[in-house]
Amino acid sequence: MIFPNVPQVKYEGPESRNPFAFKFYDPDKVISGKTMRAHLKFAMAWWHNLTAGGTDMFGRATIDKSFGGTTPMEIAKARADAGFEFMRKLGIDYFCFHDLDLIAEADTLEAQNRQLDEIAAYIKGKMDATGIKCLWGTTNLTNNPRFMNGAGSSNSADVFARAAANVKKTLDIMYLFTQGGENSYTGGFVFWGGREGYETLWNTDMALERDNVARLMHLAVDYARKIGFNGQFYIEPKPKEPMKHQYDYDAETAIGFLRKYGLDGDFKLNIEANHATLAGHTFRHELRVAADNNMLGSIDANTGDPHLGWDTDEFAYNVYDTTECMYEVLRAGGFGWGGLNFDAKNRRPSNTYEDMFHGFILSMDAFALGLINAVKIWDDGRVGVLSPEGHAERYGSWNSGIGLAIRSGKATLESLSDYALKQGEPQLPGSGRQEYIQNVINQVTFG
Ligand code: XLS
Ligand code: CA
Ligand code: CA
């Protein structure tokens, strides 16, 4: 046992003072037609939880995550042991990984592929024994110096080829993870374009680079379908960091890109809260843009810090944010193949194994509260805009008369001009009642 000090974490309710108990997340409780577990679909990010040691630009690790292993492969397996014990103790059903979270990077591609095969088989054994699934995998195309100018967007075709080889291997692993006879399921594959961008346009052929990023994505889809991996592909937008400008800037940009290159049938978006903040948007804005385009695939659930301008990947705790998130998820009809992946890491001084659990308990409870509140707000019915039909008071003018003529394409600029001449000055469009609405949210939440 790697975490002997942590018991099985169970729901004990809001009165509990047990640090290793959920106060709000009650996995089997049915709320709005589904269990909380099925609504929330929590996932553990292998990288932060099992490999990140609390390093920052100014300091080395504050916690040892080798979990008793000494050789690289022993450490890799010890991390898998730790991860499965961790997920089982919290009742987490999914995990996400990069290829290079699973093993230490090897000197040659052959050696790396061999080691990945060994660890993937080891992890698959644990998946089969526990029923824990992989939500999505991704390829680390940022760390190695060869990717300093990007992977799909590199100026070097040889580097592009190497990126393709690494993506192929991750897809092989994803395929293995999702196979299980009757228990086979549909996983996913994420492209996060960390270095797919530029530092200066003086040395950058942006058009070629973007075309090539799309080419790499097409090649990945073609290969996946060929080997029988029918999973969902995702782009994870992020505007900057590590590059000054990244091509998948935000949801709207990524959707435009997917449509331009004919990738929108195979891809949806993986929206990360902290990346929304970096793009100058709210988390909710990005979720809404994705959902309104039928592109809301999965979520990287974390938070940034308004006082820090970078990607801090903190555990989400702000219940207004989680409420807005879960409202958008409910509005979109829930997750399909995606879920809520905690792409979050403990703060550097939170350097014990127990802190790893506290981070997850914090965020699992925060999203459970968000779900409970979102359902209450939904059921209350006083706020929220679903469609013109669903919100007659504010958008009712679109359901008949001139509004319907516009929506059904019957109006022309001339007919609208005639209408405007006849009607005279239109009435003011009505108060947005924002302060009233915000108080209703508080009433429903805390009342
Ligand atoms: C980094 C990203 C990354 C992706 C997966 O900012 O969040 O961790 O989620 O490559
Ligand atoms: Ca992420
Ligand atoms: Ca992040």
Side-chain angles (χ1 to χ4, degrees):
M1 211 192 289
I2 293 172
F3 306 111
N5 300 336
V6 182
Q8 187 69 31
V9 180
K10 299 199 187 96
Y11 172 74
E12 288 187 4
E15 306 300 322
S16 168
R17 298 180 72 109
N18 174 1
F20 296 114
F22 296 118
K23 317 299 183 294
F24 302 101
Y25 178 55
D26 188 359
D28 298 321
K29 185 175 171 185
V30 175
I31 169 166
S32 189
K34 276 199 284 192
T35 61
M36 287 182 116
R37 184 181 214 124
H39 274 290
L40 293 163
K41 294 187 69 184
F42 291 132
M44 177 196 75
W46 205 277
W47 53 103
H48 285 317
N49 205 44
L50 302 178
T51 72
T55 51
D56 67 16
M57 304 268 261
F58 302 95
R60 58 180 185 271
T62 56
I63 177 172
D64 177 6
K65 296 247 179 104
S66 48
F67 301 112
T70 42
T71 68
M73 190 46 81
E74 268 173 30
I75 293 173
K77 289 184 179 169
R79 284 179 172 157
D81 296 345
F84 278 81
E85 185 185 328
F86 185 87
M87 289 186 278
R88 291 193 78 182
K89 284 194 163 156
L90 286 165
I92 289 182
D93 296 324
Y94 301 90
F95 66 91
C96 299
F97 73 98
H98 299 80
D99 53 351
L100 296 182
D101 306 333
L102 305 184
I103 52 156
E105 191 166 18
D107 289 341
T108 65
L109 180 59
E110 292 78 9
Q112 188 159 303
N113 286 347
R114 229 179 305 117
Q115 288 171 27
L116 282 170
D117 285 340
E118 184 177 342
I119 194 72
Y122 187 76
I123 293 171
K124 177 71 162 97
K126 291 182 169 288
M127 294 172 73
D128 291 344
T130 58
I132 290 173
K133 299 183 170 79
C134 179
L135 194 66
W136 52 258
T138 185
T139 311
N140 183 328
L141 299 172
T142 52
N143 190 54
N144 191 288
R146 75 175 78 88
F147 298 124
M148 67 185 187
N149 294 343
S153 66
S154 178
N155 55 307
S156 158
D158 286 348
V159 169
F160 182 105
R162 176 54 193 261
N166 290 8
V167 167
K168 174 181 178 294
K169 191 67 199 169
T170 316
L171 284 166
D172 291 337
I173 296 173
M174 225 25 244
Y175 177 69
L176 171 76
F177 282 172
T178 52
Q179 297 311 293
E182 278 181 9
N183 298 324
S184 297
Y185 69 98
T186 305
F189 183 91
V190 165
F191 277 96
W192 165 60
R195 294 201 194 271
E196 313 292 32
Y198 63 81
E199 294 296 325
T200 170
L201 284 174
W202 288 115
N203 66 9
T204 301
D205 184 343
M206 184 155 73
L208 174 72
E209 291 197 2
R210 281 168 47 98
D211 287 353
N212 284 346
V213 169
R215 287 190 176 103
L216 183 60
M217 290 179 180
H218 270 294
L219 293 171
V221 172
D222 291 349
Y223 177 71
R225 303 316 181 215
K226 188 174 147 202
I227 61 172
F229 175 64
N230 296 317
Q232 177 66 54
F233 281 85
Y234 305 97
I235 282 187
E236 181 180 324
K238 185 175 181 183
K240 58 184 170 189
E241 199 198 349
M243 296 305 255
K244 170 181 157 175
H245 177 91
Q246 286 169 200
Y247 296 139
D248 307 324
Y249 192 95
D250 61 0
E252 202 77 63
T253 310
I255 291 167
F257 175 91
L258 292 171
R259 291 200 176 130
K260 173 175 176 189
Y261 291 102
L263 288 158
D264 46 323
D266 292 285
F267 277 76
K268 287 188 190 289
L269 300 185
N270 181 39
I271 300 291
E272 180 179 313
N274 205 158
H275 299 180
T277 315
L278 293 178
H281 301 308
T282 61
F283 182 24
R284 185 183 194 179
H285 171 91
E286 290 291 85
L287 294 170
R288 179 70 67 92
V289 169
D292 281 353
N293 287 280
N294 192 25
M295 283 280 173
L296 180 54
S298 202
I299 290 178
D300 270 9
N302 60 16
T303 188
D305 185 311
H307 300 100
L308 300 174
W310 62 92
D311 194 12
T312 56
D313 286 342
E314 296 177 36
F315 283 97
Y317 66 93
N318 182 321
V319 176
Y320 284 103
D321 288 345
T322 60
T323 299
E324 290 185 357
C325 170
M326 292 316 299
Y327 187 88
E328 294 303 318
V329 171
L330 289 175
R331 186 177 183 273
F335 291 117
W337 295 334
L340 279 173
N341 169 44
F342 291 120
D343 189 356
K345 60 184 173 201
N346 287 109
R347 296 306 85 197
R348 180 172 160 79
S350 302
N351 65 338
T352 68
Y353 287 169
E354 288 74 23
D355 288 312
M356 294 163 61
F357 286 86
H358 292 317
F360 273 71
I361 294 169
L362 164 68
S363 272
M364 290 167 81
D365 268 340
F367 276 94
L369 272 170
L371 172 65
I372 293 164
N373 290 343
V375 170
K376 283 203 272 182
I377 293 165
W378 191 280
D379 291 346
D380 178 83
R382 277 177 291 170
V383 303
V385 174
L386 304 174
S387 64
E389 288 76 13
H391 209 83
E393 204 184 317
R394 186 162 166 82
Y395 289 96
S397 67
W398 294 95
N399 293 332
S400 61
I402 197 71
L404 198 55
I406 297 169
R407 284 175 75 199
S408 59
K410 291 199 181 107
T412 64
L413 216 53
E414 296 102 304
S415 73
L416 292 175
S417 172
D418 292 345
Y419 180 88
L421 283 168
K422 238 180 277 149
Q423 73 160 345
E425 184 56 32
Q427 278 181 10
L428 285 179
S431 166
R433 303 195 305 163
Q434 182 169 331
E435 297 77 6
Y436 162 73
I437 289 169
Q438 286 166 333
N439 201 27
V440 170
I441 301 287
N442 280 348
Q443 183 198 1
V444 174
T445 304
F446 300 106

